[in-house]
Amino acid sequence: MFNDFRFRVAFRVGLLAFSVGLVMFMVSRPNMFFAAGLTVLIIVFQLLELYRFTSQTNRKLTRFLESVKYSDFISGFANDNKLGKSFRELNTAFNEVLEAFRKARSEKEESWQYLNTVVQQVRTGILSFDADGDVQLMNANAKRFIGVSNLKNLKELQAINPKLYESLSEAEPGKSTLYKSGNEFQLTIQATELRIRGNTVKLVTLQNIQTELQKQELEAWQNLTRVLRHEIMNSITPISSLTSTMREILEEDLVKKESHYELKGEAADDLREGLGTIENRSKGLIQFIDAYREYTSLPQPKLKTVKLKELLENVANLMKPEIKKSAIQFSLICQSDYLTVEIDEEMISQVLINLLKNAFEALYQTENPKVELIGLYTGNSIIVQVTDNGPGIIPEAIQRIFVPFFTTKKTGSGIGLALSRQIMQMHNGSLSVESELDVKTVFTLRF
């Protein structure tokens, strides 16, 4: 009871009141002014002691706030628990708050260590820097790709690798650029911008696609070689066989008559037929080589701003004769009259015409044939879709239809879709296909 805060305050107030009364008594008596003055000093001391004693809660609160400010969560509050229940409850509350902060900091440090480990282990290089070029984060793979063990400011790269410095500093959010570093690395550089504590920070990712490109290149060459071998053998084999047969005909049926040679009528017909076949196969081989040349020598696109709706309408007008001839239900839908794309209009028109022709050809045995040409904006890209309700594409073929010279049609060079995808890649876009057998096939151009 004697240690209770309220009792001790009340005791001090009572003692102060007694001292004040004693002073008043002394003042009213003669010859006691000196004692009264001394008692006044005692009263002043009591007031200061009362102020000091009652202000310890403020000191406690100040110490608590300083512990939070400076992350000093080791200190505790328990020294004045004997001052009463209210002090014990306040100390308990302070200790619980500090424990919560201590736990939160520990969890934050664990999360930081975990994320830092993940960042260091990922195969993608990660680099972040602010507007002044000060590097804030660079993982191990970023160091390996850049070729430095330590980088404090991006400007240090100017002397080491000015081309890479330019690629990193000029990387635009949402866009991807390609950087080639010798024969070891071929990097795709992508960037995004963050706002952290009022400062703009650019986060750049570096991904080495050299190995993947080599695999894709090898696979592409294997597919191309396979197709070339198939097409050339299809032409050369009958030519070689027919040449041998015609040589045998000449050796057996060609008869020398004095100053000239005579050939039997039947043998002459066989010879004429064989020469015609050789001519046709030679023309086919020449056409194949022309298609290959067309595929490997596309001109660079001449980009200009084109309204999407006008582009689709122009293509639809070019296809009107075929639409009428095939009695196909054709519809054109464009989400907005104001959508624009940066393209070579002639090249993209050729892509759309090729896709529409393929759709029309796929519907020749389909009841109620329908083709849709759709243009829309998805929030991050402009999309054009060509949809038909034909028989679809079998899964085995859908993976190969963009391979040059591969075709599922009896007639055709197999070059159209490969050219279309190449044109889209030259526009930094893509061409993909989805097909559901006997339901629909959708070719999608994404810009």
Side-chain angles (χ1 to χ4, degrees), residues 168-219:
L168 291 173
S169 58
E170 295 182 0
E172 297 182 20
K175 293 186 178 181
S176 177
T177 58
L178 189 64
Y179 170 78
K180 189 171 183 180
S181 175
N183 296 321
E184 186 178 0
F185 299 130
Q186 192 156 347
L187 307 174
T188 55
I189 300 176
Q190 294 179 308
T192 185
E193 286 188 351
L194 307 172
R195 194 77 177 170
I196 301 176
R197 296 189 293 272
N199 298 321
T200 300
V201 175
K202 182 180 285 188
L203 181 66
V204 179
T205 59
L206 310 167
Q207 189 167 5
N208 183 23
I209 59 172
Q210 180 75 7
T211 303
E212 190 63 29
L213 284 176
Q214 288 175 347
K215 290 180 180 177
Q216 295 292 333
E217 184 180 9
L218 179 60
E219 184 179 350

Side-chain angles (χ1 to χ4, degrees), residues 61-78:
L61 182 60
T62 300
R63 188 160 67 89
F64 169 75
L65 294 176
E66 287 178 347
S67 297
V68 173
K69 179 179 179 181
Y70 298 109
S71 300
D72 178 17
F73 304 133
I74 299 176
S75 303
F77 293 85

